[in-house]
Amino acid sequence: MWPLYFLLNKILKTEEVDGEEKDGDHMNVAAECCPFELPSDNRIGHDAVLPQSHFVQVPHINQLFSWDCGLACVLMALTTVGINDCSIQNLAKLCCTTSIWTVDLAYLLQKFSVRFSFYTVTFGANPNYSGETYYKEQLPYDLVRVDKLFQKAMEAGINIWRRSISGEEISRWILSGKCIAIALVDQYKLSRSWVGDVIIPGFHGNDVGYTGHYVLICGYDAEADEFEIRDPASSRKHDRVSSKSLEDARKSFGTDEDLILISLEESRKQNYSVL
């Protein structure tokens, strides 16, 4: 049996050749929870008048271990949309693993009725990463589990798009005031400018290859061309990174360009319950 990565990506590459789904391949065409979806920034519009800068008030929450940066980002997002009675420990219990993938974060957000779209260039776990030191030990155990989560995403009402997202699109979504985002990045490429402020255990600040890390994007300044982020591994409450640095870190080999775009307006309207 071929892994989900090979099956879906083989099919989707064939469709791309035929010119279908030019705006991105959608894994969930009938999500039960009225999915939040922005396959392009048509809803914002290139002619829309956007401010030069916009910053969402997001509390900074530090991760507790080397593996729970994604949980810290989810907790920051939950707090921002008004869900305050949760903790990293609660999220860890719901996740049931210390090998956190972006699809795990998507399932967590779904449990709290947060409206979001998950963008990635790869459906399922990519076996090509087996040679990376960061993935080598855990990937053989994660392949089946992660593929099953992708396969069950439709049933769970999780909206997944196979599409690369540009920094310009992220900036426009942030400037619209309607979104924040959780991004998978290469930690070294993002954090090397403030190595002394990184508190995550095991990060030495030298180029040791790809190191997966999650940050939350919550602001953009067009004049400086900088994004404001919350880095759960940093002692800084507010961090700024250039668009180029963020783009390099997001699109590094190993990230699959994973991005979870969270709707602030829609999420704040929802009642939530932990299943």
Side-chain angles (χ1 to χ4, degrees), residues 151-223:
Q151 290 167 358
K152 294 180 179 179
M154 291 180 64
E155 298 174 20
I158 293 175
N159 205 35
I160 303 178
W161 289 83
R162 182 178 178 268
R163 179 168 178 255
S164 176
I165 299 298
S166 69
E168 180 184 0
E169 289 175 291
I170 297 174
S171 68
R172 293 179 65 81
W173 287 333
I174 296 296
L175 290 176
S176 75
K178 299 178 180 180
C179 310
I180 56 177
I182 296 174
L184 178 59
V185 299
D186 184 330
Q187 186 188 34
Y188 172 73
K189 290 185 177 179
L190 186 71
S191 303
R192 55 189 168 189
S193 61
W194 62 83
V195 166
D197 296 306
V198 174
I199 61 173
I200 180 173
F203 182 71
H204 305 295
N206 56 344
D207 191 357
V208 292
Y210 172 78
T211 301
H213 185 55
Y214 289 100
V215 297
L216 189 143
I217 305 170
C218 58
Y220 180 68
D221 183 336
E223 184 174 351

Side-chain angles (χ1 to χ4, degrees), residues 67-229:
W67 54 268
D68 61 353
C69 52
L71 303 187
C73 288
V74 167
L75 186 57
M76 286 188 266
L78 293 179
T79 304
T80 301
V81 300
I83 301 172
N84 298 305
D85 57 349
C86 194
S87 67
I88 291 184
Q89 292 86 346
N90 295 146
L91 296 177
K93 289 179 181 178
L94 290 171
C95 222
C96 300
T97 180
T98 59
S99 180
I100 306 296
W101 289 64
T102 310
V103 70
D104 292 306
L105 305 184
Y107 274 82
L108 284 177
L109 291 169
Q110 184 70 3
K111 286 182 178 180
F112 288 90
S113 299
V114 172
R115 298 295 184 89
F116 67 91
S117 277
F118 173 13
Y119 295 91
T120 182
V121 297
T122 305
F123 285 153
N126 189 340
N128 293 330
Y129 295 153
S130 59
E132 289 288 317
T133 302
Y134 178 80
Y135 284 105
K136 187 176 294 184
E137 182 178 341
Q138 194 62 37
L139 186 60
Y141 303 98
D142 283 342
L143 281 171
V144 174
R145 183 185 72 84
V146 171
D147 282 356
K148 284 183 178 178
L149 290 177
F150 271 85
Q151 290 167 358
K152 294 180 179 179
M154 291 180 64
E155 298 174 20
I158 293 175
N159 205 35
I160 303 178
W161 289 83
R162 182 178 178 268
R163 179 168 178 255
S164 176
I165 299 298
S166 69
E168 180 184 0
E169 289 175 291
I170 297 174
S171 68
R172 293 179 65 81
W173 287 333
I174 296 296
L175 290 176
S176 75
K178 299 178 180 180
C179 310
I180 56 177
I182 296 174
L184 178 59
V185 299
D186 184 330
Q187 186 188 34
Y188 172 73
K189 290 185 177 179
L190 186 71
S191 303
R192 55 189 168 189
S193 61
W194 62 83
V195 166
D197 296 306
V198 174
I199 61 173
I200 180 173
F203 182 71
H204 305 295
N206 56 344
D207 191 357
V208 292
Y210 172 78
T211 301
H213 185 55
Y214 289 100
V215 297
L216 189 143
I217 305 170
C218 58
Y220 180 68
D221 183 336
E223 184 174 351
D225 195 19
E226 290 180 338
F227 285 94
E228 180 160 307
I229 65 171

Side-chain angles (χ1 to χ4, degrees), residues 60-64 68 72 76 88 199 231-235 237:
H60 179 260
I61 297 174
N62 281 125
Q63 61 194 89
L64 303 179
D68 61 353
M76 286 188 266
I88 291 184
I199 61 173
D231 184 347
S234 174
S235 61
K237 301 296 182 183

